[in-house]
Amino acid sequence: GLTNGQIDEVEAASHARLRDFESELLPLPGVANVLMRLNELEIPLTLVSSACLTTSGVHQRLDALGLESHFENVVALPDLWHKYPDRPAFQVAAEIAELAAHRLGFVGRDTAVLAQAGEQGIRRIAVNYDEDAAADVFIRSFDRLLHAVPWDIEQVAIS
């Protein structure tokens, strides 16, 4: 029931708010320290994003957060679904990381995405998770990741 002028005004305000939001973007507490420690342990990290961003958009976001250098690979599930519509995205992500799925760990919160990772044999680490999430390890905050997983395992990758 809005007029065209009202719609234009709401749209302009939302673009301005998005710019403000993105300019104030900060990593969650502990994330940078955890990633730095995992890099020190020589744990290869592949970021698999289930957000609506493309891989290029994820790279831009990581760069803005100062986190891009922590990851060997970055992939976005929407790109994988588009490029490989008949293949499970986490299977493709495992191939990109050059590790068998059972050698990977997926850190996430979303029930559906955690389930998809589990279907591919990937260890699931739920952080700040949905109530109905199924995972192998549950942690309430990302900074607990270092204490929740045995990092002495050879060639574990965190997605």
Side-chain angles (χ1 to χ4, degrees):
L2 299 175
T3 67
N4 286 341
Q6 290 171 322
I7 292 171
D8 290 343
E9 193 172 316
V10 168
E11 186 176 347
S14 66
H15 287 295
R17 181 64 184 123
L18 177 62
R19 280 191 303 275
D20 290 345
F21 175 74
E22 288 184 345
S23 70
E24 298 169 5
L25 191 62
L26 297 170
L28 292 172
V31 168
N33 290 336
V34 169
L35 295 176
M36 186 173 15
R37 182 66 184 127
L38 292 174
N39 288 158
E40 290 168 357
L41 293 170
E42 298 182 3
I43 306 293
L45 300 177
T46 294
L47 184 128
V48 178
S49 171
S50 62
C52 60
L53 298 172
T54 63
T55 299
S56 173
V58 175
H59 276 290
Q60 289 173 3
R61 184 68 49 92
L62 287 171
D63 186 48
L65 291 168
L67 300 176
E68 186 169 19
S69 65
H70 294 292
F71 298 96
E72 290 185 15
N73 303 294
V74 174
V75 294
L77 293 183
D79 288 347
L80 295 184
W81 290 323
H82 178 73
K83 190 171 182 179
Y84 306 100
D86 298 329
R87 296 189 56 209
F90 280 106
Q91 182 182 59
V92 177
E95 291 170 11
I96 290 169
E98 297 180 350
L99 292 169
H102 73 277
R103 305 294 295 171
L104 296 172
F106 175 74
V107 179
R109 65 163 301 283
D110 181 82
T111 299
V113 181
L114 286 163
Q116 291 169 6
E119 289 167 5
Q120 297 306 305
I122 296 173
R123 284 186 222 121
R124 297 158 300 161
I125 304 157
V127 61
N128 193 26
Y129 44 87
D130 292 341
E131 248 182 61
D132 60 344
D136 304 297
V137 175
F138 293 88
I139 55 178
R140 284 284 173 200
S141 62
F142 194 82
D143 61 343
R144 298 297 305 150
L145 182 64
L146 290 173
H147 307 288
V149 179
W151 297 109
D152 57 344
I153 298 171
E154 287 184 29
Q155 296 206 357
V156 174
I158 294 298
S159 301

